[in-house]
PDB file of all heavy atoms in Angstrom:
ATOM      1  N   SER A 741      -1.928  -1.270   6.794  1.00 95.00           N
ATOM      2  CA  SER A 741      -1.699   0.047   6.209  1.00 95.00           C
ATOM      3  C   SER A 741      -2.555   1.078   6.940  1.00 95.00           C
ATOM      4  O   SER A 741      -3.605   0.743   7.497  1.00 95.00           O
ATOM      5  CB  SER A 741      -2.081   0.065   4.725  1.00 95.00           C
ATOM      6  OG  SER A 741      -1.356  -0.878   3.978  1.00 95.00           O
ATOM      7  N   ILE A 742      -2.111   2.316   6.916  1.00 96.00           N
ATOM      8  CA  ILE A 742      -2.927   3.394   7.474  1.00 96.00           C
ATOM      9  C   ILE A 742      -4.275   3.425   6.775  1.00 96.00           C
ATOM     10  O   ILE A 742      -4.360   3.355   5.547  1.00 96.00           O
ATOM     11  CB  ILE A 742      -2.209   4.748   7.331  1.00 96.00           C
ATOM     12  CG1 ILE A 742      -1.070   4.837   8.353  1.00 96.00           C
ATOM     13  CG2 ILE A 742      -3.176   5.917   7.496  1.00 96.00           C
ATOM     14  CD1 ILE A 742      -0.226   6.091   8.225  1.00 96.00           C
ATOM     15  N   ALA A 743      -5.338   3.516   7.544  1.00 95.00           N
ATOM     16  CA  ALA A 743      -6.699   3.665   7.031  1.00 95.00           C
ATOM     17  C   ALA A 743      -7.460   4.489   8.063  1.00 95.00           C
ATOM     18  O   ALA A 743      -7.987   3.970   9.032  1.00 95.00           O
ATOM     19  CB  ALA A 743      -7.356   2.303   6.822  1.00 95.00           C
ATOM     20  N   MET A 744      -7.471   5.805   7.861  1.00 96.00           N
ATOM     21  CA  MET A 744      -8.027   6.751   8.820  1.00 96.00           C
ATOM     22  C   MET A 744      -9.134   7.581   8.183  1.00 96.00           C
ATOM     23  O   MET A 744      -9.025   7.992   7.031  1.00 96.00           O
ATOM     24  CB  MET A 744      -6.928   7.700   9.311  1.00 96.00           C
ATOM     25  CG  MET A 744      -5.761   7.041  10.022  1.00 96.00           C
ATOM     26  SD  MET A 744      -6.156   6.517  11.714  1.00 96.00           S
ATOM     27  CE  MET A 744      -6.438   8.106  12.509  1.00 96.00           C
ATOM     28  N   VAL A 745     -10.185   7.847   8.965  1.00 95.00           N
ATOM     29  CA  VAL A 745     -11.256   8.738   8.531  1.00 95.00           C
ATOM     30  C   VAL A 745     -11.602   9.665   9.694  1.00 95.00           C
ATOM     31  O   VAL A 745     -11.960   9.193  10.781  1.00 95.00           O
ATOM     32  CB  VAL A 745     -12.510   7.948   8.088  1.00 95.00           C
ATOM     33  CG1 VAL A 745     -13.628   8.924   7.715  1.00 95.00           C
ATOM     34  CG2 VAL A 745     -12.199   7.031   6.922  1.00 95.00           C
ATOM     35  N   GLY A 747      -9.938  11.292  11.805  1.00 94.00           N
ATOM     36  CA  GLY A 747      -9.184  11.112  13.035  1.00 94.00           C
ATOM     37  C   GLY A 747      -9.297   9.757  13.688  1.00 94.00           C
ATOM     38  O   GLY A 747      -8.675   9.513  14.726  1.00 94.00           O
ATOM     39  N   PHE A 748     -10.080   8.848  13.083  1.00 95.00           N
ATOM     40  CA  PHE A 748     -10.282   7.520  13.667  1.00 95.00           C
ATOM     41  C   PHE A 748      -9.774   6.427  12.726  1.00 95.00           C
ATOM     42  O   PHE A 748     -10.056   6.458  11.525  1.00 95.00           O
ATOM     43  CB  PHE A 748     -11.768   7.269  13.930  1.00 95.00           C
ATOM     44  CG  PHE A 748     -12.362   8.138  14.993  1.00 95.00           C
ATOM     45  CD1 PHE A 748     -12.880   9.379  14.674  1.00 95.00           C
ATOM     46  CD2 PHE A 748     -12.404   7.725  16.307  1.00 95.00           C
ATOM     47  CE1 PHE A 748     -13.436  10.193  15.641  1.00 95.00           C
ATOM     48  CE2 PHE A 748     -12.963   8.533  17.293  1.00 95.00           C
ATOM     49  CZ  PHE A 748     -13.473   9.775  16.955  1.00 95.00           C
ATOM     50  N   PRO A 749      -9.055   5.424  13.260  1.00 95.00           N
ATOM     51  CA  PRO A 749      -8.749   4.238  12.450  1.00 95.00           C
ATOM     52  C   PRO A 749     -10.056   3.521  12.103  1.00 95.00           C
ATOM     53  O   PRO A 749     -10.996   3.519  12.908  1.00 95.00           O
ATOM     54  CB  PRO A 749      -7.883   3.376  13.372  1.00 95.00           C
ATOM     55  CG  PRO A 749      -7.458   4.266  14.490  1.00 95.00           C
ATOM     56  CD  PRO A 749      -8.516   5.307  14.628  1.00 95.00           C
ATOM     57  N   VAL A 750     -10.134   2.906  10.925  1.00 93.00           N
ATOM     58  CA  VAL A 750     -11.406   2.319  10.502  1.00 93.00           C
ATOM     59  C   VAL A 750     -11.672   0.954  11.134  1.00 93.00           C
ATOM     60  O   VAL A 750     -12.780   0.432  11.036  1.00 93.00           O
ATOM     61  CB  VAL A 750     -11.481   2.193   8.962  1.00 93.00           C
ATOM     62  CG1 VAL A 750     -11.320   3.548   8.301  1.00 93.00           C
ATOM     63  CG2 VAL A 750     -10.469   1.189   8.425  1.00 93.00           C
ATOM     64  N   ALA A 753      -9.039   0.910  17.719  1.00 91.00           N
ATOM     65  CA  ALA A 753      -8.673   2.100  18.486  1.00 91.00           C
ATOM     66  C   ALA A 753      -7.327   2.649  18.030  1.00 91.00           C
ATOM     67  O   ALA A 753      -6.507   1.939  17.439  1.00 91.00           O
ATOM     68  CB  ALA A 753      -8.617   1.755  19.975  1.00 91.00           C
ATOM     69  N   GLU A 754      -7.092   3.924  18.320  1.00 89.00           N
ATOM     70  CA  GLU A 754      -5.814   4.555  18.014  1.00 89.00           C
ATOM     71  C   GLU A 754      -4.682   3.794  18.689  1.00 89.00           C
ATOM     72  O   GLU A 754      -4.799   3.353  19.828  1.00 89.00           O
ATOM     73  CB  GLU A 754      -5.835   5.999  18.509  1.00 89.00           C
ATOM     74  CG  GLU A 754      -4.625   6.810  18.093  1.00 89.00           C
ATOM     75  CD  GLU A 754      -4.775   8.270  18.472  1.00 89.00           C
ATOM     76  OE1 GLU A 754      -5.839   8.850  18.179  1.00 89.00           O
ATOM     77  OE2 GLU A 754      -3.833   8.807  19.083  1.00 89.00           O
ATOM     78  N   GLU A 755      -3.597   3.612  17.960  1.00 89.00           N
ATOM     79  CA  GLU A 755      -2.399   2.894  18.418  1.00 89.00           C
ATOM     80  C   GLU A 755      -2.601   1.383  18.492  1.00 89.00           C
ATOM     81  O   GLU A 755      -1.649   0.637  18.733  1.00 89.00           O
ATOM     82  CB  GLU A 755      -1.920   3.397  19.798  1.00 89.00           C
ATOM     83  CG  GLU A 755      -1.575   4.868  19.851  1.00 89.00           C
ATOM     84  CD  GLU A 755      -0.192   5.200  19.307  1.00 89.00           C
ATOM     85  OE1 GLU A 755       0.495   4.273  18.838  1.00 89.00           O
ATOM     86  OE2 GLU A 755       0.193   6.375  19.351  1.00 89.00           O
ATOM     87  N   SER A 759      -5.443  -1.772  13.402  1.00 94.00           N
ATOM     88  CA  SER A 759      -6.633  -0.926  13.371  1.00 94.00           C
ATOM     89  C   SER A 759      -6.691  -0.008  12.161  1.00 94.00           C
ATOM     90  O   SER A 759      -7.740   0.549  11.838  1.00 94.00           O
ATOM     91  CB  SER A 759      -6.690  -0.061  14.632  1.00 94.00           C
ATOM     92  OG  SER A 759      -5.639   0.898  14.639  1.00 94.00           O
ATOM     93  N   GLY A 760      -5.536   0.166  11.491  1.00 95.00           N
ATOM     94  CA  GLY A 760      -5.447   1.143  10.426  1.00 95.00           C
ATOM     95  C   GLY A 760      -4.758   2.426  10.866  1.00 95.00           C
ATOM     96  O   GLY A 760      -4.723   3.402  10.129  1.00 95.00           O
ATOM     97  N   TYR A 761      -4.160   2.395  12.054  1.00 96.00           N
ATOM     98  CA  TYR A 761      -3.478   3.572  12.587  1.00 96.00           C
ATOM     99  C   TYR A 761      -2.059   3.723  12.033  1.00 96.00           C
ATOM    100  O   TYR A 761      -1.515   4.830  12.021  1.00 96.00           O
ATOM    101  CB  TYR A 761      -3.415   3.498  14.112  1.00 96.00           C
ATOM    102  CG  TYR A 761      -2.724   4.680  14.756  1.00 96.00           C
ATOM    103  CD1 TYR A 761      -3.376   5.910  14.859  1.00 96.00           C
ATOM    104  CD2 TYR A 761      -1.423   4.572  15.246  1.00 96.00           C
ATOM    105  CE1 TYR A 761      -2.738   7.002  15.432  1.00 96.00           C
ATOM    106  CE2 TYR A 761      -0.786   5.662  15.821  1.00 96.00           C
ATOM    107  CZ  TYR A 761      -1.445   6.873  15.910  1.00 96.00           C
ATOM    108  OH  TYR A 761      -0.808   7.945  16.467  1.00 96.00           O
ATOM    109  N   GLU A 762      -1.462   2.626  11.556  1.00 97.00           N
ATOM    110  CA  GLU A 762      -0.079   2.704  11.107  1.00 97.00           C
ATOM    111  C   GLU A 762       0.179   1.887   9.853  1.00 97.00           C
ATOM    112  O   GLU A 762      -0.572   0.962   9.521  1.00 97.00           O
ATOM    113  CB  GLU A 762       0.861   2.217  12.212  1.00 97.00           C
ATOM    114  CG  GLU A 762       0.658   0.754  12.580  1.00 97.00           C
ATOM    115  CD  GLU A 762       1.593   0.289  13.684  1.00 97.00           C
ATOM    116  OE1 GLU A 762       2.736   0.791  13.730  1.00 97.00           O
ATOM    117  OE2 GLU A 762       1.189  -0.562  14.491  1.00 97.00           O
ATOM    118  N   ASN A 763       1.240   2.266   9.138  1.00 97.00           N
ATOM    119  CA  ASN A 763       1.803   1.438   8.087  1.00 97.00           C
ATOM    120  C   ASN A 763       2.809   0.517   8.770  1.00 97.00           C
ATOM    121  O   ASN A 763       3.917   0.938   9.110  1.00 97.00           O
ATOM    122  CB  ASN A 763       2.497   2.302   7.026  1.00 97.00           C
ATOM    123  CG  ASN A 763       1.507   3.125   6.212  1.00 97.00           C
ATOM    124  OD1 ASN A 763       0.444   2.641   5.841  1.00 97.00           O
ATOM    125  ND2 ASN A 763       1.867   4.363   5.918  1.00 97.00           N
ATOM    126  N   VAL A 764       2.408  -0.710   9.020  1.00 95.00           N
ATOM    127  CA  VAL A 764       3.193  -1.625   9.848  1.00 95.00           C
ATOM    128  C   VAL A 764       4.566  -1.898   9.224  1.00 95.00           C
ATOM    129  O   VAL A 764       4.672  -2.176   8.031  1.00 95.00           O
ATOM    130  CB  VAL A 764       2.421  -2.948  10.058  1.00 95.00           C
ATOM    131  CG1 VAL A 764       3.276  -3.948  10.833  1.00 95.00           C
ATOM    132  CG2 VAL A 764       1.112  -2.671  10.797  1.00 95.00           C
ATOM    133  N   THR A 770       1.340   7.461   1.658  1.00 96.00           N
ATOM    134  CA  THR A 770      -0.022   7.484   2.184  1.00 96.00           C
ATOM    135  C   THR A 770      -0.763   8.649   1.550  1.00 96.00           C
ATOM    136  O   THR A 770      -0.334   9.800   1.668  1.00 96.00           O
ATOM    137  CB  THR A 770       0.001   7.624   3.710  1.00 96.00           C
ATOM    138  OG1 THR A 770       0.715   6.511   4.268  1.00 96.00           O
ATOM    139  CG2 THR A 770      -1.406   7.666   4.280  1.00 96.00           C
ATOM    140  N   ALA A 772      -3.486  11.310   1.449  1.00 96.00           N
ATOM    141  CA  ALA A 772      -4.328  11.995   2.426  1.00 96.00           C
ATOM    142  C   ALA A 772      -5.167  13.055   1.726  1.00 96.00           C
ATOM    143  O   ALA A 772      -4.655  13.822   0.910  1.00 96.00           O
ATOM    144  CB  ALA A 772      -3.469  12.638   3.511  1.00 96.00           C
ATOM    145  N   GLN A 783       1.976  11.468   1.441  1.00 97.00           N
ATOM    146  CA  GLN A 783       2.913  11.689   2.533  1.00 97.00           C
ATOM    147  C   GLN A 783       3.516  10.349   2.951  1.00 97.00           C
ATOM    148  O   GLN A 783       2.787   9.378   3.149  1.00 97.00           O
ATOM    149  CB  GLN A 783       2.197  12.340   3.721  1.00 97.00           C
ATOM    150  CG  GLN A 783       1.500  13.647   3.360  1.00 97.00           C
ATOM    151  CD  GLN A 783       0.787  14.277   4.540  1.00 97.00           C
ATOM    152  OE1 GLN A 783       1.238  14.176   5.691  1.00 97.00           O
ATOM    153  NE2 GLN A 783      -0.334  14.945   4.267  1.00 97.00           N
ATOM    154  N   ILE A 784       4.806  10.299   3.067  1.00 97.00           N
ATOM    155  CA  ILE A 784       5.490   9.059   3.455  1.00 97.00           C
ATOM    156  C   ILE A 784       5.622   9.050   4.969  1.00 97.00           C
ATOM    157  O   ILE A 784       6.442   9.768   5.548  1.00 97.00           O
ATOM    158  CB  ILE A 784       6.852   8.941   2.765  1.00 97.00           C
ATOM    159  CG1 ILE A 784       6.672   8.947   1.247  1.00 97.00           C
ATOM    160  CG2 ILE A 784       7.564   7.657   3.209  1.00 97.00           C
ATOM    161  CD1 ILE A 784       7.962   9.029   0.470  1.00 97.00           C
ATOM    162  N   VAL A 785       4.802   8.240   5.621  1.00 98.00           N
ATOM    163  CA  VAL A 785       4.725   8.229   7.085  1.00 98.00           C
ATOM    164  C   VAL A 785       4.600   6.793   7.588  1.00 98.00           C
ATOM    165  O   VAL A 785       4.223   5.891   6.850  1.00 98.00           O
ATOM    166  CB  VAL A 785       3.523   9.053   7.584  1.00 98.00           C
ATOM    167  CG1 VAL A 785       3.659  10.521   7.173  1.00 98.00           C
ATOM    168  CG2 VAL A 785       2.210   8.480   7.065  1.00 98.00           C
ATOM    169  N   ALA A 786       4.895   6.635   8.865  1.00 97.00           N
ATOM    170  CA  ALA A 786       4.748   5.333   9.518  1.00 97.00           C
ATOM    171  C   ALA A 786       3.448   5.253  10.307  1.00 97.00           C
ATOM    172  O   ALA A 786       2.817   4.203  10.372  1.00 97.00           O
ATOM    173  CB  ALA A 786       5.929   5.055  10.440  1.00 97.00           C
ATOM    174  N   LYS A 787       3.037   6.389  10.928  1.00 97.00           N
ATOM    175  CA  LYS A 787       1.846   6.411  11.768  1.00 97.00           C
ATOM    176  C   LYS A 787       0.955   7.586  11.399  1.00 97.00           C
ATOM    177  O   LYS A 787       1.408   8.603  10.862  1.00 97.00           O
ATOM    178  CB  LYS A 787       2.235   6.511  13.245  1.00 97.00           C
ATOM    179  CG  LYS A 787       3.008   5.306  13.768  1.00 97.00           C
ATOM    180  CD  LYS A 787       3.284   5.452  15.246  1.00 97.00           C
ATOM    181  CE  LYS A 787       4.000   4.233  15.800  1.00 97.00           C
ATOM    182  NZ  LYS A 787       4.232   4.346  17.268  1.00 97.00           N
ATOM    183  N   ALA A 788      -0.310   7.448  11.722  1.00 97.00           N
ATOM    184  CA  ALA A 788      -1.274   8.502  11.409  1.00 97.00           C
ATOM    185  C   ALA A 788      -0.926   9.812  12.100  1.00 97.00           C
ATOM    186  O   ALA A 788      -1.221  10.888  11.578  1.00 97.00           O
ATOM    187  CB  ALA A 788      -2.675   8.052  11.800  1.00 97.00           C
ATOM    188  N   SER A 789      -0.297   9.745  13.264  1.00 96.00           N
ATOM    189  CA  SER A 789       0.059  10.964  13.999  1.00 96.00           C
ATOM    190  C   SER A 789       1.066  11.821  13.238  1.00 96.00           C
ATOM    191  O   SER A 789       1.234  13.008  13.541  1.00 96.00           O
ATOM    192  CB  SER A 789       0.624  10.603  15.372  1.00 96.00           C
ATOM    193  OG  SER A 789       1.760   9.773  15.247  1.00 96.00           O
ATOM    194  N   GLU A 790       1.736  11.258  12.238  1.00 98.00           N
ATOM    195  CA  GLU A 790       2.722  11.995  11.449  1.00 98.00           C
ATOM    196  C   GLU A 790       2.095  12.723  10.267  1.00 98.00           C
ATOM    197  O   GLU A 790       2.751  13.544   9.618  1.00 98.00           O
ATOM    198  CB  GLU A 790       3.803  11.034  10.938  1.00 98.00           C
ATOM    199  CG  GLU A 790       4.556  10.313  12.037  1.00 98.00           C
ATOM    200  CD  GLU A 790       5.449   9.200  11.507  1.00 98.00           C
ATOM    201  OE1 GLU A 790       5.670   9.140  10.279  1.00 98.00           O
ATOM    202  OE2 GLU A 790       5.906   8.379  12.308  1.00 98.00           O
ATOM    203  N   LEU A 791       0.829  12.444   9.969  1.00 98.00           N
ATOM    204  CA  LEU A 791       0.171  13.084   8.840  1.00 98.00           C
ATOM    205  C   LEU A 791      -0.024  14.570   9.094  1.00 98.00           C
ATOM    206  O   LEU A 791      -0.347  14.981  10.214  1.00 98.00           O
ATOM    207  CB  LEU A 791      -1.186  12.428   8.579  1.00 98.00           C
ATOM    208  CG  LEU A 791      -1.165  10.996   8.053  1.00 98.00           C
ATOM    209  CD1 LEU A 791      -2.550  10.375   8.174  1.00 98.00           C
ATOM    210  CD2 LEU A 791      -0.683  10.970   6.599  1.00 98.00           C
ATOM    211  N   LYS A 792       0.150  15.375   8.064  1.00 97.00           N
ATOM    212  CA  LYS A 792      -0.059  16.806   8.161  1.00 97.00           C
ATOM    213  C   LYS A 792      -1.353  17.168   7.445  1.00 97.00           C
ATOM    214  O   LYS A 792      -1.433  17.113   6.216  1.00 97.00           O
ATOM    215  CB  LYS A 792       1.129  17.552   7.560  1.00 97.00           C
ATOM    216  CG  LYS A 792       2.423  17.382   8.344  1.00 97.00           C
ATOM    217  CD  LYS A 792       3.574  18.122   7.702  1.00 97.00           C
ATOM    218  CE  LYS A 792       4.817  18.086   8.583  1.00 97.00           C
ATOM    219  NZ  LYS A 792       5.253  16.721   8.895  1.00 97.00           N
ATOM    220  N   VAL A 793      -2.384  17.517   8.223  1.00 97.00           N
ATOM    221  CA  VAL A 793      -3.671  17.942   7.680  1.00 97.00           C
ATOM    222  C   VAL A 793      -4.136  19.165   8.466  1.00 97.00           C
ATOM    223  O   VAL A 793      -3.742  19.371   9.614  1.00 97.00           O
ATOM    224  CB  VAL A 793      -4.740  16.827   7.765  1.00 97.00           C
ATOM    225  CG1 VAL A 793      -4.379  15.663   6.854  1.00 97.00           C
ATOM    226  CG2 VAL A 793      -4.930  16.347   9.192  1.00 97.00           C
ATOM    227  N   PRO A 796      -7.711  17.826  11.982  1.00 95.00           N
ATOM    228  CA  PRO A 796      -7.568  16.399  12.284  1.00 95.00           C
ATOM    229  C   PRO A 796      -8.890  15.658  12.381  1.00 95.00           C
ATOM    230  O   PRO A 796      -8.901  14.427  12.459  1.00 95.00           O
ATOM    231  CB  PRO A 796      -6.839  16.386  13.629  1.00 95.00           C
ATOM    232  CG  PRO A 796      -7.150  17.716  14.247  1.00 95.00           C
ATOM    233  CD  PRO A 796      -7.250  18.670  13.103  1.00 95.00           C
ATOM    234  N   PHE A 799     -10.646  14.556   7.514  1.00 97.00           N
ATOM    235  CA  PHE A 799      -9.727  14.058   6.494  1.00 97.00           C
ATOM    236  C   PHE A 799      -9.885  12.555   6.374  1.00 97.00           C
ATOM    237  O   PHE A 799     -10.508  11.907   7.207  1.00 97.00           O
ATOM    238  CB  PHE A 799      -8.277  14.397   6.868  1.00 97.00           C
ATOM    239  CG  PHE A 799      -7.669  13.480   7.910  1.00 97.00           C
ATOM    240  CD1 PHE A 799      -6.857  12.417   7.541  1.00 97.00           C
ATOM    241  CD2 PHE A 799      -7.930  13.673   9.256  1.00 97.00           C
ATOM    242  CE1 PHE A 799      -6.309  11.563   8.498  1.00 97.00           C
ATOM    243  CE2 PHE A 799      -7.381  12.835  10.220  1.00 97.00           C
ATOM    244  CZ  PHE A 799      -6.573  11.779   9.835  1.00 97.00           C
ATOM    245  N   TRP A 800      -9.337  12.007   5.293  1.00 96.00           N
ATOM    246  CA  TRP A 800      -9.137  10.567   5.234  1.00 96.00           C
ATOM    247  C   TRP A 800      -7.734  10.307   4.707  1.00 96.00           C
ATOM    248  O   TRP A 800      -7.133  11.167   4.059  1.00 96.00           O
ATOM    249  CB  TRP A 800     -10.190   9.822   4.422  1.00 96.00           C
ATOM    250  CG  TRP A 800     -10.489  10.289   3.015  1.00 96.00           C
ATOM    251  CD1 TRP A 800     -11.606  10.923   2.576  1.00 96.00           C
ATOM    252  CD2 TRP A 800      -9.677  10.092   1.853  1.00 96.00           C
ATOM    253  NE1 TRP A 800     -11.543  11.166   1.229  1.00 96.00           N
ATOM    254  CE2 TRP A 800     -10.372  10.657   0.757  1.00 96.00           C
ATOM    255  CE3 TRP A 800      -8.441   9.510   1.626  1.00 96.00           C
ATOM    256  CZ2 TRP A 800      -9.856  10.660  -0.548  1.00 96.00           C
ATOM    257  CZ3 TRP A 800      -7.920   9.512   0.328  1.00 96.00           C
ATOM    258  CH2 TRP A 800      -8.625  10.074  -0.733  1.00 96.00           C
ATOM    259  N   ALA A 801      -7.197   9.139   5.021  1.00 96.00           N
ATOM    260  CA  ALA A 801      -5.848   8.790   4.588  1.00 96.00           C
ATOM    261  C   ALA A 801      -5.733   7.284   4.433  1.00 96.00           C
ATOM    262  O   ALA A 801      -6.207   6.534   5.285  1.00 96.00           O
ATOM    263  CB  ALA A 801      -4.804   9.289   5.599  1.00 96.00           C
ATOM    264  N   GLN A 802      -5.119   6.852   3.341  1.00 95.00           N
ATOM    265  CA  GLN A 802      -4.935   5.428   3.056  1.00 95.00           C
ATOM    266  C   GLN A 802      -3.487   5.160   2.666  1.00 95.00           C
ATOM    267  O   GLN A 802      -2.933   5.840   1.799  1.00 95.00           O
ATOM    268  CB  GLN A 802      -5.843   4.995   1.918  1.00 95.00           C
ATOM    269  CG  GLN A 802      -5.603   3.572   1.417  1.00 95.00           C
ATOM    270  CD  GLN A 802      -5.984   2.525   2.456  1.00 95.00           C
ATOM    271  OE1 GLN A 802      -7.131   2.428   2.844  1.00 95.00           O
ATOM    272  NE2 GLN A 802      -5.012   1.751   2.895  1.00 95.00           N
TER     273      GLN A 802
END
Side-chain angles (χ1 to χ4, degrees):
S741 301
I742 285 175
M744 299 284 294
V745 177
F748 293 88
V750 301
E754 187 173 312
E755 301 279 2
S759 68
Y761 180 76
E762 63 180 327
N763 291 319
V764 176
T770 300
Q783 304 180 34
I784 300 172
V785 298
K787 296 183 178 182
S789 58
E790 300 170 13
L791 291 166
K792 293 179 173 58
V793 293
F799 79 98
W800 52 252
Q802 172 67 62

